[in-house]
């Protein structure tokens, strides 16, 4: 008799974004005349930049000729992209990362979801609350948690670290030992950033407690404040205890192309039960080779074009457009009297709903009365209740219109 992996049965409802789409689609069906403005999932609206398009056309051309066709590539990514990442994302900030520590993939969602596989099931996982749901759900699937506690809105066995307006949405160190810590800055969903000093506390904690930090820096390109670190490796000692994720999705409009990378430094270790240490780099490499055949050549050529002079200039213009949207949203929502967070170094704006209005209630209200889709904070965890998130990935005229509709409402 085939049995099911019962860990999957612990998962709550559907994944957040399909549920939002389901509600928006049901509303659209019932009200075909409504022009809905989607500020829910952070999906890009600007096209790929010309430098990327041109490079990808060239790559398609190569794939169309026997002499230049590329079949399976290196599972860890082509050297040209791994070297470009090191040069333009790390060495330029004085951070020492080697090309063979860069693992190219088809997305940070997959990488942040998959990496937990290389760690033991008895590790204690710590996440921020609110949190990007992938970190939690993949640990539930793996069997690293107990059942869902409905009253608390949490899974047993996970250490949830509340991120509130009071702590600037950067968690305090946990009050009990944890092994695997997920941090994401600039943060999804709150748009908060972590200073070097705050990250140093976490790096020191991980070093002292033999823990590992999974650092999701998918939104680093949106940092405008020069004092905010783009990489956890800007903090001394982080190479020994942190794995970093980055993505071309939001940075260069690759949500539909798929390309990202993960840094697994050599020397970063976990421990066997007999207390002898083992390096994670070869294990992740082995796992990559077994379960992944590499991101497409065309995607990787497109990604490398992001680092050309033209490419850099062009993606910066797009990032500026999204960040102008964020500024418009912060100003408009602030004027309406909402407590507004994020939106300065991140493409997400996080607001507190009016007293007593739950996240989903506010979501439904905006959808039904303003025809605007946001993301309910409660979908990111219990501490997100009473908040909603707006994505700045949109056309400027739509953002302005959405803000006008909300003001009228
Ligand atoms: C979000 O809206 O939180 C993101 O777009 C989701 C993702 O990147 O998977």
């Amino acid at each position: 008799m085939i049995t099911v992996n019962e860990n999957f049965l612990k998962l709550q409802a559907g994944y957040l974004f399909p549920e939002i789409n389901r509600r928006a689609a049901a509303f659209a069906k019932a009200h075909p005349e409504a022009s809905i403005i989607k500020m829910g999932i952070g999906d890009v609206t600007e096209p790929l930049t010309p430098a990327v398009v041109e490079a990808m056309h060239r790559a398609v051309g190569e794939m169309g000729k026997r002499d230049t066709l590329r079949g399976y590539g290196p599972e860890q990514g082509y050297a040209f992209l791994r070297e470009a990442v090191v040069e333009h994302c790390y060495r330029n900030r004085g951070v020492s990362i080697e090309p063979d520590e860069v693992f190219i993939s088809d997305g940070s969602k997959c990488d942040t979801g998959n990496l937990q596989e290389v760690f033991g099931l008895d590790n204690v996982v710590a996440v921020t609350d609110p949190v990007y749901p992938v970190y939690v759900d993949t640990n539930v699937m793996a069997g690293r948690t107990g059942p869902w506690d409905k009253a608390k809105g949490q899974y047993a066995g996970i250490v949830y670290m509340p991120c509130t307006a009071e702590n600037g949405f950067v968690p305090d160190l946990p009050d009990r030992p944890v092994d695997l810590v997920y941090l994401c800055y600039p943060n999804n969903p709150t748009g908060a950033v972590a200073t070097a000093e705050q990250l140093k506390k976490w790096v020191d904690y991980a070093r002292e407690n033999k823990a590992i930090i999974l650092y999701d820096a998918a939104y680093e390109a949106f940092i405008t404040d020069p004092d905010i670190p783009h990489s956890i490796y800007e903090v001394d000692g982080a190479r020994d205890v942190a794995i970093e994720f980055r993505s071309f999705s939001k940075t260069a409009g690759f949500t539909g192309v798929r390309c990202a990378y993960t840094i697994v430094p050599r020397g970063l270790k976990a421990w066997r039960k007999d207390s002898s240490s083992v390096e994670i780099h070869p294990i992740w490499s082995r796992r990559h080779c077994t379960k992944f055949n590499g991101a497409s050549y065309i995607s990787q050529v497109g990604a490398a074009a992001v680092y050309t002079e033209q490419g850099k200039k062009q993606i910066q213009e797009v990032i500026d457009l999204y960040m102008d949207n964020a500024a418009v949203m912060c100003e408009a929502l602030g004027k309406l009297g909402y407590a507004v967070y994020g939106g300065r170094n991140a493409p997400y704006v996080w607001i507190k709903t009016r007293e007593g209005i739950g996240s989903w209630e506010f979501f439904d209200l905006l959808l039904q009365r303003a025809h605007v889709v946001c993301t309910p904070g409660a979908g990111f965890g219990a501490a997100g209740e009473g908040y909603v998130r707006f994505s700045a990935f949109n056309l400027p005229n739509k953002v302005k219109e959405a803000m006008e509709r909300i003001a009228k409402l």
Side-chain angles (χ1 to χ4, degrees):
M1 178 182 72
I2 180 75
T3 59
V4 67
N5 176 349
E6 294 199 20
N7 293 314
F8 278 68
L9 308 181
K10 295 176 193 163
L11 293 167
Q12 289 311 292
Y15 187 64
L16 175 62
F17 294 108
E19 172 59 18
I20 289 171
N21 284 341
R22 191 192 63 73
R23 290 193 190 207
F27 180 79
K29 197 169 169 208
H31 304 272
E33 73 296 346
S35 120
I36 297 177
I37 302 178
K38 294 190 173 167
M39 305 178 90
I41 189 165
D43 198 1
V44 296
T45 51
E46 290 304 293
L48 295 172
T49 56
V52 169
V53 172
E54 202 181 293
M56 289 175 83
H57 277 162
R58 216 173 42 240
V60 171
E62 287 177 50
M63 297 296 270
K65 296 196 196 102
R66 186 168 293 115
D67 288 353
T68 45
L69 164 75
R70 314 280 173 130
Y72 293 124
E75 290 87 350
Q76 298 81 356
Y78 283 99
F80 64 80
L81 183 54
R82 300 173 94 187
E83 279 158 16
V85 163
V86 164
E87 190 61 33
H88 298 276
C89 301
Y90 293 101
R91 274 193 203 132
N92 62 333
R93 295 188 180 275
V95 172
S96 157
I97 294 291
E98 293 304 317
D100 76 347
E101 296 173 320
V102 180
F103 291 80
I104 308 295
S105 76
D106 59 356
S108 283
K109 182 183 194 174
C110 322
D111 284 352
T112 55
N114 288 332
L115 225 133
Q116 49 76 28
E117 272 183 31
V118 304
F119 301 111
L121 288 183
D122 46 1
N123 284 301
V124 177
V125 173
V127 296
T128 59
D129 183 8
V131 64
Y132 180 46
V134 171
Y135 315 152
V136 173
D137 286 4
T138 53
N139 277 288
V140 174
M141 291 171 182
R144 223 171 259 113
T145 75
W148 174 250
D149 181 334
K150 197 166 177 214
K152 287 191 182 152
Q154 298 182 342
Y155 289 96
I158 290 196
V159 174
Y160 290 86
M161 306 180 291
C163 287
T164 59
E166 288 68 43
N167 62 16
F169 303 100
V170 179
D172 303 324
L173 295 176
D175 52 10
R176 64 184 174 109
V178 299
D179 306 302
L180 193 58
V181 180
Y182 288 82
L183 295 178
C184 169
Y185 290 99
N187 186 252
N188 180 11
T190 64
V193 282
T195 62
E197 209 182 10
Q198 287 167 320
L199 291 181
K200 176 88 175 88
K201 260 210 263 180
W202 277 101
V203 167
D204 291 347
Y205 174 88
R207 293 174 69 89
E208 278 156 27
N209 293 276
K210 293 187 171 161
I212 282 182
I213 299 169
L214 298 185
Y215 192 71
D216 186 348
Y219 297 96
E220 61 76 33
F222 296 86
I223 294 173
T224 52
D225 186 335
D227 296 331
I228 298 297
H230 286 240
S231 164
I232 194 163
Y233 304 121
E234 289 176 51
V235 172
D236 271 354
R239 276 188 55 95
D240 297 333
V241 290
I243 289 171
E244 181 164 289
F245 306 95
R246 293 214 188 168
S247 171
F248 294 95
S249 283
K250 316 295 159 77
T251 309
F254 272 46
T255 52
V257 175
R258 312 309 305 151
C259 199
Y261 56 92
T262 292
I263 308 296
V264 184
R266 288 190 181 276
L268 175 128
K269 297 187 192 83
W271 278 262
R272 292 193 187 86
K273 290 230 171 2
D274 67 5
S275 297
S276 60
S277 66
V278 52
E279 281 213 26
I280 294 301
H281 184 283
I283 299 180
W284 183 242
S285 190
R286 178 71 173 80
R287 186 264 174 213
H288 226 60
C289 292
T290 303
K291 291 201 175 181
F292 187 54
N293 263 331
S296 102
Y297 173 67
I298 300 162
S299 302
Q300 293 190 60
V301 169
V306 165
Y307 300 118
T308 59
E309 277 319 303
Q310 280 303 308
K312 279 189 199 169
K313 198 170 145 278
Q314 291 165 359
I315 65 159
Q316 192 56 50
E317 282 167 12
V318 177
I319 289 170
D320 290 347
L321 177 145
Y322 292 135
M323 291 311 286
D324 286 349
N325 286 343
V328 166
M329 287 151 61
C330 288
E331 196 190 329
L333 293 164
K335 267 197 194 145
L336 294 177
Y338 289 102
V340 179
Y341 306 96
R344 269 192 52 209
N345 293 293
Y348 295 124
V349 174
W350 182 248
I351 68 161
K352 181 115 190 66
T353 65
R354 299 280 191 234
E355 208 52 56
I357 303 188
S359 297
W360 280 105
E361 198 185 336
F362 194 82
F363 169 90
D364 286 333
L365 182 79
L366 283 198
L367 175 60
Q368 284 157 21
R369 308 256 311 270
H371 308 163
V372 171
V373 176
C374 61
T375 303
F380 296 102
E385 182 53 281
Y387 289 88
V388 293
R389 189 195 79 174
F390 291 93
S391 156
F393 296 107
N394 218 318
L395 305 175
N397 63 329
K398 294 258 183 206
V399 170
K400 287 195 186 102
E401 189 180 334
M403 293 303 115
E404 281 163 18
R405 290 189 199 171
I406 294 171
K408 256 192 217 149
L409 174 65

Short mmCIF file of all heavy atoms in Angstrom, two decimals, residues 15-17 40-44 108-109 132-134 188-189 218-219 247 249-250 255 258 348 375 380 389 391 393, ligand 1:
data_model
loop_
_atom_site.label_atom_id
_atom_site.label_comp_id
_atom_site.label_asym_id
_atom_site.label_seq_id
_atom_site.Cartn_x
_atom_site.Cartn_y
_atom_site.Cartn_z
N TYR A 15 -1.15 27.72 -0.77
CA TYR A 15 -0.05 28.67 -0.71
C TYR A 15 -0.66 30.08 -0.85
O TYR A 15 -1.66 30.28 -1.55
CB TYR A 15 0.96 28.37 -1.83
CG TYR A 15 2.21 29.22 -1.75
CD1 TYR A 15 3.06 29.11 -0.66
CD2 TYR A 15 2.51 30.14 -2.75
CE1 TYR A 15 4.20 29.90 -0.57
CE2 TYR A 15 3.65 30.92 -2.66
CZ TYR A 15 4.49 30.79 -1.57
OH TYR A 15 5.61 31.57 -1.48
N LEU A 16 -0.07 31.04 -0.18
CA LEU A 16 -0.66 32.38 -0.06
C LEU A 16 -1.07 33.02 -1.39
O LEU A 16 -2.20 33.50 -1.56
CB LEU A 16 0.34 33.28 0.68
CG LEU A 16 0.00 34.75 0.81
CD1 LEU A 16 -1.29 34.95 1.59
CD2 LEU A 16 1.14 35.49 1.51
N PHE A 17 -0.14 33.05 -2.36
CA PHE A 17 -0.42 33.84 -3.57
C PHE A 17 -1.50 33.23 -4.46
O PHE A 17 -2.35 33.97 -4.97
CB PHE A 17 0.89 34.16 -4.31
CG PHE A 17 1.76 35.06 -3.50
CD1 PHE A 17 2.92 34.59 -2.89
CD2 PHE A 17 1.40 36.38 -3.26
CE1 PHE A 17 3.70 35.41 -2.09
CE2 PHE A 17 2.17 37.21 -2.46
CZ PHE A 17 3.33 36.73 -1.88
N GLY A 40 -0.54 42.80 -5.23
CA GLY A 40 -0.38 41.67 -4.32
C GLY A 40 1.00 41.05 -4.51
O GLY A 40 2.01 41.56 -4.00
N ILE A 41 1.07 39.96 -5.27
CA ILE A 41 2.37 39.29 -5.46
C ILE A 41 3.37 40.26 -6.09
O ILE A 41 2.99 41.10 -6.92
CB ILE A 41 2.22 38.01 -6.32
CG1 ILE A 41 3.53 37.21 -6.30
CG2 ILE A 41 1.80 38.34 -7.75
CD1 ILE A 41 3.40 35.79 -6.80
N GLY A 42 4.61 40.16 -5.64
CA GLY A 42 5.65 41.03 -6.19
C GLY A 42 6.11 40.50 -7.53
O GLY A 42 7.12 39.81 -7.61
N ASP A 43 5.33 40.81 -8.57
CA ASP A 43 5.74 40.36 -9.90
C ASP A 43 5.96 41.59 -10.79
O ASP A 43 5.16 42.53 -10.77
CB ASP A 43 4.68 39.44 -10.52
CG ASP A 43 5.25 38.64 -11.68
OD1 ASP A 43 6.45 38.80 -11.97
OD2 ASP A 43 4.50 37.87 -12.29
N VAL A 44 7.02 41.52 -11.57
CA VAL A 44 7.47 42.70 -12.31
C VAL A 44 6.48 43.06 -13.43
O VAL A 44 5.78 42.20 -13.95
CB VAL A 44 8.88 42.48 -12.89
CG1 VAL A 44 9.87 42.32 -11.75
CG2 VAL A 44 8.93 41.27 -13.81
N SER A 108 15.35 31.82 -6.48
CA SER A 108 15.63 31.82 -5.04
C SER A 108 14.53 31.13 -4.25
O SER A 108 14.76 30.67 -3.13
CB SER A 108 15.79 33.25 -4.52
OG SER A 108 17.05 33.72 -4.89
N LYS A 109 13.31 31.09 -4.81
CA LYS A 109 12.25 30.35 -4.11
C LYS A 109 12.69 28.89 -3.98
O LYS A 109 12.61 28.29 -2.91
CB LYS A 109 10.95 30.46 -4.90
CG LYS A 109 9.77 29.79 -4.25
CD LYS A 109 8.57 29.91 -5.19
CE LYS A 109 7.28 29.57 -4.50
NZ LYS A 109 6.13 29.84 -5.38
N TYR A 132 8.44 35.00 4.80
CA TYR A 132 8.18 34.48 3.45
C TYR A 132 7.79 33.00 3.63
O TYR A 132 8.57 32.22 4.20
CB TYR A 132 9.46 34.63 2.63
CG TYR A 132 9.42 34.16 1.20
CD1 TYR A 132 8.36 34.47 0.35
CD2 TYR A 132 10.47 33.42 0.67
CE1 TYR A 132 8.36 34.04 -0.98
CE2 TYR A 132 10.48 33.00 -0.64
CZ TYR A 132 9.42 33.31 -1.46
OH TYR A 132 9.42 32.89 -2.77
N PRO A 133 6.59 32.60 3.22
CA PRO A 133 6.06 31.28 3.61
C PRO A 133 6.89 30.08 3.15
O PRO A 133 6.80 29.01 3.76
CB PRO A 133 4.68 31.23 2.93
CG PRO A 133 4.39 32.58 2.40
CD PRO A 133 5.64 33.38 2.41
N VAL A 134 7.71 30.26 2.14
CA VAL A 134 8.51 29.13 1.61
C VAL A 134 9.42 28.53 2.69
O VAL A 134 9.58 27.31 2.77
CB VAL A 134 9.34 29.61 0.40
CG1 VAL A 134 10.34 28.56 -0.04
CG2 VAL A 134 8.42 29.99 -0.75
N ASN A 188 11.10 40.76 2.96
CA ASN A 188 9.80 40.44 2.42
C ASN A 188 9.07 39.75 3.56
O ASN A 188 9.54 38.72 4.04
CB ASN A 188 9.95 39.48 1.23
CG ASN A 188 8.61 39.11 0.63
OD1 ASN A 188 7.59 39.71 0.96
ND2 ASN A 188 8.60 38.11 -0.24
N PRO A 189 7.98 40.30 4.09
CA PRO A 189 7.10 41.30 3.50
C PRO A 189 7.21 42.73 4.04
O PRO A 189 6.58 43.62 3.49
CB PRO A 189 5.72 40.77 3.92
CG PRO A 189 5.97 40.22 5.30
CD PRO A 189 7.35 39.61 5.23
N ALA A 218 17.36 38.63 -1.76
CA ALA A 218 16.77 38.74 -3.10
C ALA A 218 16.45 40.19 -3.48
O ALA A 218 16.35 40.51 -4.66
CB ALA A 218 15.50 37.89 -3.19
N TYR A 219 16.30 41.05 -2.47
CA TYR A 219 15.89 42.44 -2.76
C TYR A 219 17.02 43.44 -2.54
O TYR A 219 16.77 44.64 -2.43
CB TYR A 219 14.66 42.79 -1.90
CG TYR A 219 13.47 41.91 -2.24
CD1 TYR A 219 13.19 40.77 -1.50
CD2 TYR A 219 12.68 42.20 -3.33
CE1 TYR A 219 12.13 39.93 -1.85
CE2 TYR A 219 11.61 41.37 -3.68
CZ TYR A 219 11.34 40.24 -2.93
OH TYR A 219 10.29 39.43 -3.28
N SER A 247 18.81 36.90 -6.43
CA SER A 247 17.96 36.54 -7.57
C SER A 247 17.98 37.63 -8.64
O SER A 247 18.13 38.81 -8.32
CB SER A 247 16.54 36.38 -7.04
OG SER A 247 15.65 36.23 -8.09
N SER A 249 15.28 37.86 -10.41
CA SER A 249 13.84 38.01 -10.66
C SER A 249 13.38 39.46 -10.55
O SER A 249 12.81 40.01 -11.48
CB SER A 249 13.04 37.17 -9.66
OG SER A 249 13.07 35.83 -10.05
N LYS A 250 13.61 40.05 -9.38
CA LYS A 250 13.13 41.41 -9.17
C LYS A 250 14.17 42.41 -9.62
O LYS A 250 13.85 43.49 -10.08
CB LYS A 250 12.79 41.63 -7.68
CG LYS A 250 12.02 40.50 -7.02
CD LYS A 250 10.64 40.29 -7.61
CE LYS A 250 10.08 38.91 -7.32
NZ LYS A 250 9.58 38.64 -6.01
N THR A 255 11.34 37.25 -13.46
CA THR A 255 10.38 36.32 -12.83
C THR A 255 9.91 35.26 -13.81
O THR A 255 9.66 34.12 -13.43
CB THR A 255 9.17 37.07 -12.22
OG1 THR A 255 8.62 37.93 -13.20
CG2 THR A 255 9.56 37.88 -11.00
N ARG A 258 13.70 33.08 -15.11
CA ARG A 258 14.25 32.20 -14.08
C ARG A 258 15.78 32.17 -14.06
O ARG A 258 16.41 31.53 -14.89
CB ARG A 258 13.74 30.74 -14.20
CG ARG A 258 12.24 30.55 -14.36
CD ARG A 258 11.41 31.26 -13.35
NE ARG A 258 11.77 30.94 -11.99
CZ ARG A 258 11.62 31.79 -10.96
NH1 ARG A 258 11.11 32.99 -11.14
NH2 ARG A 258 11.96 31.43 -9.76
N TYR A 348 8.58 46.80 -1.19
CA TYR A 348 7.33 46.48 -0.48
C TYR A 348 7.01 47.54 0.55
O TYR A 348 7.90 48.03 1.26
CB TYR A 348 7.44 45.11 0.22
CG TYR A 348 7.58 43.97 -0.77
CD1 TYR A 348 8.66 43.09 -0.70
CD2 TYR A 348 6.63 43.78 -1.78
CE1 TYR A 348 8.79 42.06 -1.62
CE2 TYR A 348 6.76 42.75 -2.69
CZ TYR A 348 7.84 41.89 -2.62
OH TYR A 348 7.97 40.88 -3.52
N THR A 375 -1.61 42.22 -0.32
CA THR A 375 -1.35 40.91 0.29
C THR A 375 -1.61 41.03 1.78
O THR A 375 -1.01 41.89 2.44
CB THR A 375 0.11 40.46 0.04
OG1 THR A 375 0.34 40.44 -1.37
CG2 THR A 375 0.35 39.06 0.58
N PHE A 380 1.55 35.91 6.04
CA PHE A 380 2.99 35.74 6.27
C PHE A 380 3.27 35.30 7.72
O PHE A 380 4.42 35.24 8.13
CB PHE A 380 3.73 37.06 6.02
CG PHE A 380 3.67 37.54 4.58
CD1 PHE A 380 2.80 38.56 4.23
CD2 PHE A 380 4.48 36.99 3.61
CE1 PHE A 380 2.75 39.02 2.92
CE2 PHE A 380 4.44 37.45 2.30
CZ PHE A 380 3.57 38.47 1.95
N ARG A 389 0.43 44.19 2.86
CA ARG A 389 1.61 44.56 2.07
C ARG A 389 1.17 45.01 0.69
O ARG A 389 0.30 44.39 0.08
CB ARG A 389 2.52 43.34 1.95
CG ARG A 389 3.87 43.65 1.33
CD ARG A 389 4.59 42.39 0.89
NE ARG A 389 4.07 41.89 -0.37
CZ ARG A 389 4.57 40.86 -1.06
NH1 ARG A 389 5.61 40.20 -0.58
NH2 ARG A 389 4.05 40.49 -2.21
N SER A 391 2.79 45.83 -3.12
CA SER A 391 3.99 45.67 -3.94
C SER A 391 4.15 46.90 -4.83
O SER A 391 3.18 47.42 -5.38
CB SER A 391 3.83 44.41 -4.80
OG SER A 391 4.64 44.51 -5.94
N PHE A 393 5.86 46.83 -7.55
CA PHE A 393 6.08 46.39 -8.93
C PHE A 393 4.80 46.64 -9.72
O PHE A 393 3.88 45.81 -9.71
CB PHE A 393 6.45 44.91 -8.97
CG PHE A 393 7.75 44.60 -8.29
CD1 PHE A 393 7.77 43.95 -7.06
CD2 PHE A 393 8.96 44.98 -8.87
CE1 PHE A 393 8.97 43.68 -6.43
CE2 PHE A 393 10.16 44.70 -8.24
CZ PHE A 393 10.17 44.05 -7.02
C1 LIG B 1 6.24 37.94 -3.15
O1 LIG B 1 5.34 38.61 -3.65
O2 LIG B 1 6.39 37.78 -1.94
C2 LIG B 1 7.20 37.28 -4.08
O3 LIG B 1 7.01 37.71 -5.38
C3 LIG B 1 7.07 35.85 -4.02
C4 LIG B 1 8.24 35.19 -4.60
O4 LIG B 1 9.24 35.82 -4.95
O5 LIG B 1 8.18 33.97 -4.67
#
